[in-house]
Amino acid sequence: MSDTSLSALTALSTVQQVSANNIANVNTEGFRSSSVTLESGPGDQGVRVSAIRESSVPAPFIGGVEGSNTDIATEMVGMITTGHGFSANTAVVRASEEMTGHLLNLIV
């Protein structure tokens, strides 16, 4: 069970890193935001990153200069959602570790 959650934690950290990079470059001229696509892991167990794709949405032109196509609101909502997923999977890993500890205490 914890292997599934650990793979999800790894994938979700990549999603957060990509979102953070998009937000960090919101004022960079010509920057194209990226998005992460997730898929089931091997044997439909867990989750992994299948692709990181650059957006093809056109960026606004301000004063003749192409700006960034990053949408701050979308990125922030995505980061909040990803944070909740990260917290949930952390709780699963913690519960699994506690159950293992209890079982070892019963055996010893």
Side-chain angles (χ1 to χ4, degrees), residues 47-72:
V47 64
R48 65 181 176 192
V49 174
S50 67
I52 299 174
R53 293 190 174 93
E54 189 176 277
S55 174
S56 61
V57 174
F61 280 88
I62 302 169
V65 177
E66 183 180 19
S68 168
N69 68 348
T70 301
D71 180 12
I72 294 290

Side-chain angles (χ1 to χ4, degrees), residues 2 6 9 17 19 21 28-29 45 48 51 54-55 64 66 84 92 94 100 105 108:
S2 66
L6 291 175
L9 290 172
Q17 290 171 3
S19 290
N21 183 58
T28 303
E29 293 176 7
Q45 297 294 313
R48 65 181 176 192
E54 189 176 277
S55 174
E66 183 180 19
H84 288 303
V92 170
R94 186 177 310 117
T100 302
N105 287 340
V108 176

Side-chain angles (χ1 to χ4, degrees), residues 23-87:
I23 291 171
N25 287 289
V26 71
N27 292 323
T28 303
E29 293 176 7
F31 178 78
R32 300 281 183 184
S33 63
S34 297
S35 63
V36 178
T37 305
L38 302 175
E39 66 182 9
S40 294
D44 286 332
Q45 297 294 313
V47 64
R48 65 181 176 192
V49 174
S50 67
I52 299 174
R53 293 190 174 93
E54 189 176 277
S55 174
S56 61
V57 174
F61 280 88
I62 302 169
V65 177
E66 183 180 19
S68 168
N69 68 348
T70 301
D71 180 12
I72 294 290
T74 301
E75 295 297 333
M76 292 305 296
V77 169
M79 290 183 85
I80 291 168
T81 304
T82 303
H84 288 303
F86 200 89
S87 295

